[in-house]
Amino acid sequence: MADATDQFFSQLSAFLWSSPMITLLLGTHLYLTIRLRFPQRKIFTAIRLSVKRDSNTAGGVSQFGALATALAATIGTGNIIGVATAIALGGPGAVFWCWLTGVFGISTKYAEGLLPIKYRVKTNDGRWNI
């Protein structure tokens, strides 16, 4: 019984992590890139604004510090290990696909950051609920 269950989940995993997952990930990246009107074109402006110190803001965390913390929490070592594994298993062509997915993934990461800011609500005591 355990062998049949193990074989079923192995086949399911092999199926889901092949063409369907690639299609869903790249499809989502492309959809959001088009729908958000190519946010990648503003990448250098975003980098410039994130490292620029804004003296009019209250609080101890700079814009760059907040960005670096948010990205570190979501990127992590899993992506580094994933790229190394892709290069080891897939060869040099994997670098191209990682790069391409990363460029289009900018719009997905932008949407993940934009939606909480757009739909946050200010409470009666002046705090923000996200």
Side-chain angles (χ1 to χ4, degrees), residues 4 9 19 21 23 31 38 44 54 57 61 80 86 107-108 110 125 127:
F9 283 112
S19 297
M21 188 60 67
T23 304
Y31 172 77
F38 298 89
F44 294 113
D54 190 5
T57 59
V61 179
I80 296 168
S107 59
T108 304
Y110 175 74
D125 60 351
R127 296 182 330 163

Side-chain angles (χ1 to χ4, degrees), residues 19-84:
S19 297
M21 188 60 67
I22 293 169
T23 304
L24 283 173
L25 285 174
L26 283 176
T28 302
H29 295 335
L30 289 171
Y31 172 77
L32 288 172
T33 295
I34 293 167
R35 183 80 176 149
L36 294 172
R37 297 186 189 111
F38 298 89
Q40 295 90 339
R41 63 189 161 89
K42 299 281 189 173
I43 191 71
F44 294 113
T45 303
I47 291 171
R48 185 177 46 82
L49 289 174
S50 70
V51 296
K52 183 176 135 185
R53 175 66 85 177
D54 190 5
S55 60
N56 297 331
T57 59
V61 179
S62 68
Q63 294 171 343
F64 180 73
L67 175 68
T69 303
L71 288 176
T74 57
I75 294 173
T77 57
N79 284 346
I80 296 168
I81 293 169
V83 170

Side-chain angles (χ1 to χ4, degrees), residues 93-121:
V95 175
F96 170 76
W97 288 107
C98 288
W99 177 82
L100 188 68
T101 304
V103 167
F104 286 113
I106 290 171
S107 59
T108 304
K109 191 64 188 164
Y110 175 74
E112 288 178 7
L114 175 72
L115 290 174
I117 299 300
K118 184 174 181 176
Y119 292 107
R120 65 184 176 176
V121 177

